[in-house]
Amino acid sequence: MGVVALKLSDTTLGRVMCRPKGVIAGTWLILVVFVAVFAPYLTPYEYDIQDLPNAFRAPDAAHWLGTDEFGRDMLTRIMYGARTSLSVSTIAIGISVFCGMCLGAASGYFGGRFDRAVTAVIDLTWSFPEILVALILVAIIGPGVTGAMVAIGVAYLALFTRLTRSQIMAIKSETFVEASRSLGASHGHILMRHLLPNTLAPVIVAAMLATGDAIILEATLGFFGLGAQPPTPSWGGLMSSGTAQMFKAPWIIIIPGVAVAVTVFAINLFGDALIHALDVRARVRES
Amino acid sequence: MLGYFIRRVLVLIPVSLAVSMVIFSIIHLIPGDPIDNLLKIGAGPEQREIMTARYGLDKPLAVQYWIWLSGVLQGDLGTAIVARRPVADLIAQALPHSLALGLCALAFSTFFGIVLGTIAALNRDRWPDQLIMTVVLLGSTVPGFWLGLLLILVFSVWLGMFPVSGARDWSAMVLPVLTVGLGGTALVARVTRVAMVEAGQRDFLMLLHAKGMRPARIQLRHVLRHALIPVVTILSLRIGWILGGAVTVEVVFARPGLGTLLIKSLNQHDYPVVQACLLILAMAVMLGTLAGDLIQAAMDPRVRAAL
Amino acid sequence: MLLSVKNLSVGIGTLTLLESVSFDLAKGEIMGLVGESGSGKSLTALALTGLLPLIGGRVTAGSLEFDGTDLATLPKRKLRALRGRRIAFITQNPMTALDPVQRIGPQVDFVSRTHLGLDRKEARARTIELLTQLRIPQADTICSAYPHQLSGGMKQRIVIAMALAGNPDLIVADEPTTALDVTVQAQIIHLLTRLVRERGLALVLITHDMGVVAQACDKVAVLYAGRLAEQKPVHALFASPQHPYSAALIDCIPREGMAPGSLTGIPGNVASATAYPAGCRFHPRCPRAGAGCDTKVPVQRGLSDAGTVACHYPLNGALDV
């Protein structure tokens, strides 16, 4: 079982990387993750040391991406910002995927009153824009990294619950599951060994794409001052502080935005390649 | 059709009740005593008593909800803490701005999304398709507020074509509509393309060709007609998404709409206003979905038959 | 001859799916086109109606002469003007043949409005008249109904009405009853053949049901794996089939007085187009296969009973030459 799974993932990744789209997108993502993880060793300056005489410096040799209103190096802050943005969005989506799969699997597998309740709540939140759900939650939890993570996580809960539920519903009546049940397998065994592994491919793709959206959402919360609080740099926060200086130093807002756009674009391209490689187009789209 | 409409509206009632409960409970979910959240810092004990009596905060939750809901149904949305004015007034001032932006952006994205999606589908896998789809993908990976900032930078600051912010006349609408609309266009174009391709594989097209119908007419009168059904579904489901975009974009352009009011109130912990804004936005989302369902029913006789 | 198909070959991509098929059809004649699925029946129908491009196919050789013009080389526009007007097509599955979001009336009206130049009112009057002839009760209410409100048999009548609406000379019907209930099948076939006979039209009736052929057709062409096996008048085919495949098809019809369990099928399956056997394509399944069957392609030979057969060892040996 383990060997087979490993082989499958090898070929899947192989197939993704065979496409030029996949290679370019993958390279950028690896680069961003690398920078985010090793930011303290890579950055030319400290992210929070102010250097007022050097404020508002346009990009030059000393500061490749210029400096902000306090003279802090933008490149450094972007690199640290990647750290915040990526960790918030991936952890948020991680929470979302985990809770969504549990909820979706339970409601799809057991059905009944529980399923109806879950479906009702999910349908309710589904039509509401993620940004509104996240704003409400931040209002409750309070701004900051934790607040943003939980808010984004809950905002995407509906997506993964729906997806998992529909997948489980689709395969739970298939012959191999029936056969396993008639052989006396427990609910836990059927769920863990048969149903959940089969829902994994579309969930992975959806999680990939949702991470892109989550980065935008995190940036939006940050832009409104509801994300990571200063002096911790985040991409949204950088743009937020840049608006006041927009006419004087446009690079302060342009650069973080480009970072967000390119990263989310790369995630989407990679996700596209993944869809082709896993051949799950129809399954991802139906939810 | 009338029966369908009535049934569809009846379904909305429990949903709106559920939504109102969630919004009502925000005030109780926020850490701290609800009274503190409803009062300005430094309010005296007598104000505290007035507030407690007004909201029935000493009564059970269900009663409190009832007091709040009956107030809302009569148009009493409470008093803003910071502005010290009826929340209904604030909303009445903000709503037209948001409505104008939202509807214009919706019209913009629907029109251009369908046109671009159709062009892409008709040229599937050739260069117009690839070009449109790449631009569309790019459009959906850019944060709305940032796009707004860029547009301001280019068109207002550098080219001086439109005002930077505000809502004085139509020219102040152009950039916000463009900002919200581009994201929506990306969504609609993507859905239209997929729906066109799928509708183009339907069996009944064979008979249309067999009847001697012109291919152009088949594409526009039949394929596009079918493709629009899922497009309307997605649009109605994602109408809130466009509204959500409007919320953030309003702030960027300093338009005095609901979004600006919401964000400001969130930052000022002015919870009665937050509740009211969320209520209005939720209603807009529900009405949008309703409108979408009705249009869909008008377009597809099978939907009418099913419900 | 109204229709004269000569050495017609049809290909999709690099595959040749229909090879050198020839037959003639006169006005007022009904020809059955039979064979198992994959034998090329539907491709022939699409070739006759000029719809091959829709499935990515094309005529690779031969000619389709319809009233003196070759359909294989006719430009698209002229072909389109013929379709629905002089050549009508009845598609396979009535359940999915109609546009589900358009009312029945306009779908039928389209044909007479486009091809006969009738205005809205005249076209509707004609539609109602046609529907009534097809024994559809309350034709005017049916006109404002949507397809999902009608039964399968009713939908197929609508499709037939569309075919008749342009006053065609030739109707091509591709398994018009396969998707319908058995009881409705007979009705529809009866109705279709009656109307065709009344109007003196030519009909190519594609079916895999030899019973239908016996009941409705004047002549029959048997296709096997993209090639013509045998063609002749219906009575002659049933009286003395020459090709072992025709004989086997006839043997598949249940008859009165048969012992239970004595109904036999044809052993094996039609080879796929990517792996046709050499020589006669039927030889792996043929009880009479002998020397040369697996190497030499049999040619069409004339028969004394006004038909042709392509077999090295025909059953009754009634060859003309």
Side-chain angles (χ1 to χ4, degrees):
Chain A
M1 184 80 195
V3 177
V4 176
L6 192 71
K7 237 179 157 176
L8 182 78
S9 75
D10 277 358
T11 54
T12 301
L13 205 63
R15 268 177 290 169
V16 170
M17 292 313 252
C18 276
R19 295 165 170 275
K21 273 207 286 199
V23 176
I24 298 169
T27 312
W28 173 259
L29 292 179
I30 290 168
L31 187 75
V32 172
V33 171
F34 180 81
V35 163
V37 172
F38 297 104
Y41 307 100
L42 297 171
T43 52
Y45 299 88
E46 293 296 315
Y47 71 86
D48 53 353
I49 301 295
Q50 302 192 0
D51 179 16
L52 290 175
N54 272 324
F56 299 123
R57 272 180 65 170
D60 59 18
H63 299 276
W64 290 359
L65 298 179
T67 63
D68 69 1
E69 71 270 34
F70 297 113
R72 296 175 295 196
D73 180 53
M74 280 302 288
L75 180 61
T76 305
R77 289 181 65 75
I78 291 280
M79 287 162 88
Y80 273 94
R83 222 173 189 199
T84 320
S85 295
L86 288 192
S87 55
V88 168
S89 48
T90 46
I91 292 171
I93 294 300
I95 298 172
S96 221
V97 168
F98 180 76
C99 299
M101 281 187 85
C102 291
L103 263 179
S107 81
Y109 185 71
F110 296 110
R113 201 172 290 170
F114 178 68
D115 179 40
R116 282 203 295 276
V118 169
T119 317
V121 174
I122 293 304
D123 280 349
L124 192 65
T125 41
W126 180 245
S127 55
F128 283 86
E130 286 87 12
I131 178 75
L132 277 191
V133 177
L135 282 176
I136 297 175
L137 286 162
V138 172
I140 295 171
I141 307 163
V145 171
T146 323
M149 265 182 209
V150 176
I152 296 169
V154 176
Y156 284 97
L157 193 57
L159 172 73
F160 294 104
T161 311
R162 258 176 96 107
L163 184 60
T164 312
R165 181 177 172 278
S166 70
Q167 294 294 316
I168 296 272
M169 299 281 275
I171 43 179
K172 84 168 175 188
S173 51
E174 272 182 28
T175 340
F176 74 98
V177 180
E178 296 288 344
S180 179
R181 183 173 304 140
S182 65
L183 289 173
S186 66
H187 290 314
H189 177 87
I190 293 175
L191 269 173
M192 296 307 292
R193 293 311 273 293
H194 296 304
L195 298 182
L196 284 177
N198 273 301
T199 66
L200 224 49
V203 168
I204 288 172
V205 174
M208 185 86 202
L209 297 175
T211 306
D213 290 348
I215 290 176
I216 295 185
L217 194 51
E218 194 272 341
T220 309
L221 288 179
F223 179 74
F224 291 133
L226 301 169
Q229 298 299 301
T232 309
S234 73
W235 287 345
L238 291 181
M239 288 187 261
S240 172
S241 57
T243 37
Q245 276 74 41
M246 200 166 99
F247 309 117
K248 209 164 155 191
W251 59 88
I252 303 180
I253 56 160
I254 292 177
I255 291 160
V258 170
V260 171
V262 173
T263 306
V264 178
F265 191 68
I267 287 177
N268 273 286
L269 280 188
F270 196 81
D272 256 8
L274 208 57
I275 286 176
H276 285 292
L278 290 171
D279 197 25
V280 289
R281 175 168 294 269
R283 289 164 80 194
V284 172
R285 211 177 42 225
E286 77 192 27
S287 64
Chain B
M1 192 70 199
L2 184 70
Y4 177 83
F5 175 75
I6 292 169
R7 270 170 296 183
R8 192 58 193 73
V9 170
L10 287 180
V11 173
L12 267 188
I13 294 175
V15 179
S16 3
L17 278 179
V19 171
S20 70
M21 274 181 214
V22 172
I23 290 173
F24 164 75
S25 52
I26 287 175
I27 203 89
H28 293 272
L29 288 171
I30 294 161
D33 194 328
I35 306 184
D36 294 329
N37 291 327
L38 287 170
L39 287 172
K40 231 184 147 110
I41 297 159
E46 61 271 31
Q47 273 165 304
R48 185 170 280 263
E49 253 163 55
I50 293 168
M51 216 36 133
T52 309
R54 186 181 180 297
Y55 286 94
L57 288 173
D58 45 352
K59 300 195 180 73
L61 265 182
V63 179
Q64 291 183 36
Y65 171 64
W66 178 245
I67 294 172
W68 177 77
L69 186 67
S70 49
V72 166
L73 289 178
Q74 290 160 29
D76 175 12
L77 296 165
T79 310
I81 299 164
V82 179
R84 292 179 188 278
R85 285 174 58 197
V87 176
D89 287 3
L90 295 178
I91 298 284
Q93 270 178 4
L95 193 57
H97 293 293
S98 295
L99 224 48
L101 174 58
L103 291 179
C104 287
L106 191 64
F108 181 95
S109 13
T110 310
F111 179 75
F112 287 102
I114 289 173
V115 169
L116 288 178
T118 305
I119 295 175
L122 293 180
N123 295 287
R124 186 146 65 113
D125 296 332
R126 292 199 293 272
W127 70 265
D129 178 29
Q130 282 155 356
L131 178 72
I132 289 173
M133 284 301 119
T134 309
V135 172
V136 154
L137 182 58
L138 251 176
S140 61
T141 62
V142 169
F145 66 89
W146 184 68
L147 184 63
L149 292 173
L150 273 197
L151 290 178
I152 291 177
L153 206 55
V154 175
F155 289 102
S156 305
V157 180
W158 293 344
L159 301 176
M161 285 165 68
F162 302 105
V164 171
S165 61
R168 275 177 307 279
D169 55 12
W170 67 268
S171 64
M173 275 282 280
V174 175
L175 292 185
V177 167
L178 214 57
T179 311
V180 184
L182 286 178
T185 305
L187 175 77
V188 177
R190 240 189 326 206
V191 177
T192 307
R193 178 181 178 276
V194 173
M196 281 286 283
V197 169
E198 250 162 39
Q201 291 158 353
R202 298 282 295 268
D203 278 352
F204 69 83
L205 300 174
M206 176 75 84
L207 198 61
L208 297 179
H209 284 285
K211 285 197 281 186
M213 197 179 278
R214 283 197 323 279
R217 182 175 162 137
I218 291 177
Q219 288 295 337
L220 293 177
R221 293 279 282 267
H222 293 272
V223 177
L224 183 60
R225 171 95 169 62
H226 273 264
L228 287 183
I229 297 170
V231 171
V232 169
T233 313
I234 299 286
L235 257 180
S236 74
L237 275 177
R238 298 265 90 181
I239 218 162
W241 193 79
I242 290 172
L243 277 175
V247 167
T248 61
V249 169
E250 272 180 353
V251 179
V252 172
F253 288 92
R255 283 177 64 82
L258 277 183
T260 313
L261 189 62
L262 175 64
I263 299 289
K264 198 171 78 185
S265 314
L266 267 176
N267 281 327
Q268 294 172 336
H269 304 285
D270 196 340
Y271 290 107
V273 185
V274 171
Q275 278 181 321
C277 289
L278 290 177
L279 205 60
I280 299 291
L281 286 171
M283 271 173 52
V285 170
M286 282 188 286
L287 288 178
T289 316
L290 174 69
D293 282 0
L294 291 178
I295 296 174
Q296 199 190 9
M299 287 175 70
D300 191 342
R302 293 164 299 175
V303 173
R304 292 201 292 279
L307 217 134
Chain C
M1 269 310 136
L2 179 70
L3 178 70
S4 174
V5 176
K6 288 200 183 72
N7 300 321
L8 173 70
S9 296
V10 169
I12 295 179
T14 53
L15 283 180
T16 299
L17 297 174
L18 196 65
E19 206 174 295
S20 200
V21 168
S22 308
F23 57 84
D24 292 324
L25 192 64
K27 242 180 158 22
E29 269 188 327
I30 300 182
M31 189 182 80
L33 203 57
V34 292
E36 288 162 282
S37 24
S39 58
K41 293 172 296 176
S42 292
L43 284 179
T44 313
L46 292 179
L48 286 174
T49 47
L51 293 172
L52 279 173
L54 283 187
I55 57 160
R58 67 196 183 284
V59 173
T60 50
S63 65
L64 292 139
E65 250 179 44
F66 173 76
D67 207 10
T69 49
D70 184 7
L71 300 176
T73 54
L74 206 62
K76 270 189 196 166
R77 285 182 63 93
K78 290 202 171 149
L79 206 51
R80 206 171 62 224
L82 276 183
R83 266 204 304 267
R85 169 69 192 85
R86 299 199 59 198
I87 304 176
F89 188 31
I90 296 173
T91 51
Q92 215 167 61
N93 186 355
M95 303 316 267
T96 55
L98 300 167
D99 185 336
V101 302
Q102 204 182 14
R103 290 177 200 273
I104 298 294
Q107 299 199 42
V108 185
D109 296 347
F110 172 84
V111 180
S112 47
R113 289 181 66 183
T114 311
H115 296 297
L116 306 182
L118 302 189
D119 67 24
R120 193 182 294 262
K121 265 184 146 174
E122 294 165 342
R124 179 53 54 87
R126 181 173 167 74
T127 298
I128 290 177
E129 189 195 316
L130 276 170
L131 295 188
T132 315
Q133 282 176 13
L134 281 157
R135 308 228 180 102
I136 294 175
Q138 295 164 311
D140 47 341
T141 32
I142 293 290
C143 278
S144 51
Y146 287 98
H148 70 87
Q149 296 166 313
L150 307 182
S151 68
M154 204 61 111
K155 280 187 219 174
Q156 194 60 301
R157 285 166 207 238
I158 303 292
V159 176
I160 293 173
M162 277 181 201
L164 294 172
N167 273 336
D169 300 304
L170 169 69
I171 298 182
V172 181
D174 188 1
E175 307 213 18
T177 58
T178 317
L180 302 176
D181 286 347
V182 182
T183 47
V184 184
Q185 285 186 4
Q187 277 177 28
I188 295 284
I189 291 292
H190 187 73
L191 206 53
L192 181 63
T193 48
R194 186 173 61 86
L195 286 167
V196 163
R197 294 233 185 269
E198 277 172 15
R199 289 153 195 249
L201 311 181
L203 171 68
V204 176
L205 182 61
I206 294 173
T207 178
H208 54 244
D209 185 345
M210 288 303 276
V212 168
V213 172
Q215 181 195 359
C217 301
D218 303 313
K219 54 203 252 182
V220 57
V222 180
L223 285 175
Y224 184 81
R227 284 187 192 150
L228 196 57
E230 180 171 10
Q231 60 156 326
K232 53 167 51 168
V234 166
H235 60 85
L237 182 86
F238 281 90
S240 68
Q242 298 295 323
H243 200 286
Y245 179 61
S246 315
L249 279 180
I250 293 169
D251 278 343
C252 290
I253 313 172
R255 276 177 311 271
E256 216 177 332
M258 269 175 107
S262 64
L263 192 62
T264 49
I266 306 173
N269 290 308
V270 185
S272 96
T274 49
Y276 279 141
C280 171
R281 287 176 181 165
F282 187 57
H283 84 262
R285 299 170 74 187
C286 184
R288 297 173 63 85
C293 282
D294 54 349
T295 49
K296 278 190 290 177
V297 178
V299 292
Q300 292 288 338
R301 289 186 284 174
L303 294 168
S304 53
D305 48 4
T308 63
V309 69
C311 180
H312 296 303
Y313 304 101
L315 275 159
N316 298 318
L319 290 178
D320 205 16
V321 280

